[in-house]
Structure formats: structure tokens, C-alpha cells
Amino acid sequence: EGGDVSEEDGALVDPTHQRRPTPGRPFKSARPKICVVGSFLDNLPNQAGLCRTTEALFGPYAEVTLASLKCTTEPAFLRMSMASERWLKLLEVPPGERLAAYLTQKRLEGYRIVALEQTDSSVPAQAYQFHSDTVLIIGNEQLGCPAWLLRRPELVHDFVELPLDGASRSLNAHVTASAMVWQFRLQTY
């Protein structure tokens, strides 16, 4: 339990403090329990944060989509992601017909498609019961989910929202996604 405690510059230092285990070889072939669609995100910190949060909570049992994987080579992405993109299944799925095809395929595989969006039919997060295999769609930072997606019930089963009481009625996209991914974990693990 812990390493040797030493004194350094007058302070006690435990060499095991903040030491993280190093995972073995990446195991990306597991069937994902949750697939998080980040294809509408434009902001690099949101893309990196989405990867980091999802991988931290689900490891190889997670899949994340982004519109392009070019962002994963950017220094700012790499600083925020903490190498999480190497440990989860990360797919390039741009918005539009490729995303529609991805969602259709996931429905055929038995996933429940859930869009995180404030609509007149959305269910508050605390009242929503997640399916054991879920695709969670995160909208754009400014515009949310696009109208073409909202009008296609064959693509989205449910709409869920985080109840917000503040005047802005808005959270950062990565923060909102993290709250929902955690809610999924609480219910299904």
C-alpha cells in the first residue's frame, strides 16, 4: 500500500500519489455498450473531452464517433484526451447520410438511439430508463441536433434532456454528455 514516503523540499512525498495503472494492449474488439455520437461537435476540447470521459467510464465497451479523425493529431486534443482515443473504438462518421446509415445499422444491431436535446417530447434525464445497449447523440455546441435528425423518427427512438433551472438553459456540450454518460453507467452497470 503506497510506496516509500520520503521528504522532498520539506514536504512528504508518496511516489504512488496520482500514479495511474497502465493498461495492457488495447482491446477494441468488445461489443460497445454505449456508442456516443460526437459527429456534430465542432469544438476540439469538447471532442477530446468526450473521448476521455467515455473511455474512462467504459474502456473497450465504448465507441465514439467524430465528424473527422484529423482532430486526434492536434496537440490541444492530445493534451485533453490523455491518450483515451487509443483505448476506445473511435470512428469517423460525418453528419449527413453517413451518420444516418450508422444510426440505421445500430438500430438493426439492437441499440436504442437516444438524442440529447431539449424538445417538446424530451424526457428528463432522471426519469429516463436507458436500454442496456445505447447510442447517445450529442448535438452541436451552438445549434444542438440538426432539424433533419429531429424529423426522422426512424433514426431516433427517444429524446432526453438534463433539466436546467438557470437563465441560459445551457451547458457545455462535453459537460452535458458526461452527465448523461454517467447516468447511463449508473443505470446499466
Side-chain angles (χ1 to χ4, degrees):
E1 304 176 310
D4 296 330
V5 177
S6 63
E7 201 169 315
E8 186 177 294
D9 297 330
L12 293 178
V13 177
D14 181 348
T16 62
H17 179 71
Q18 288 289 318
R19 186 175 296 163
R20 293 178 180 88
T22 303
R25 188 173 167 194
F27 182 69
K28 295 183 182 182
S29 62
R31 175 180 162 86
K33 300 304 281 173
I34 187 165
C35 305
V36 184
V37 174
S39 298
F40 297 119
L41 297 175
D42 292 328
N43 186 306
L44 193 106
N46 283 331
Q47 295 165 337
L50 186 65
C51 291
R52 183 174 176 178
T53 298
T54 306
E55 189 281 326
L57 292 173
F58 297 99
Y61 300 103
E63 181 173 286
V64 172
T65 74
L66 298 175
S68 170
L69 297 185
K70 289 179 186 175
C71 67
T72 62
T73 62
E74 296 290 327
F77 180 96
L78 296 170
R79 278 191 303 277
M80 177 128 185
S81 73
M82 299 294 292
S84 60
E85 71 282 357
R86 291 188 288 173
W87 304 103
L88 58 71
K89 189 173 184 182
L90 187 58
L91 303 175
E92 184 171 302
V93 183
E97 286 311 308
R98 284 208 26 217
L99 179 55
Y102 172 84
L103 296 174
T104 300
Q105 181 60 42
K106 289 298 181 185
R107 270 184 93 133
L108 292 172
E109 293 173 12
Y111 285 86
R112 186 94 182 155
I113 314 298
V114 179
L116 183 55
E117 183 66 49
Q118 297 170 341
T119 70
D120 59 351
S121 65
S122 58
V123 176
Q126 71 274 19
Y128 186 76
Q129 184 59 49
F130 279 98
H131 187 270
S132 61
D133 295 320
T134 294
V135 173
L136 181 64
I137 303 169
I138 310 303
N140 177 270
E141 294 90 344
Q142 299 294 317
L143 306 171
C145 291
W148 68 263
L149 183 66
L150 300 177
R151 290 191 303 260
R152 299 207 33 203
E154 76 278 9
L155 293 181
V156 180
H157 290 103
D158 304 307
F159 294 96
V160 178
E161 68 176 270
L162 283 177
L164 303 172
D165 292 330
S168 68
R169 292 192 42 83
S170 177
L171 287 173
N172 173 281
H174 165 240
V175 171
T176 305
S178 296
M180 292 305 296
V181 168
W182 177 246
Q183 185 74 14
F184 174 84
R185 184 181 171 95
L186 287 175
Q187 290 184 20
T188 60
Y189 269 60

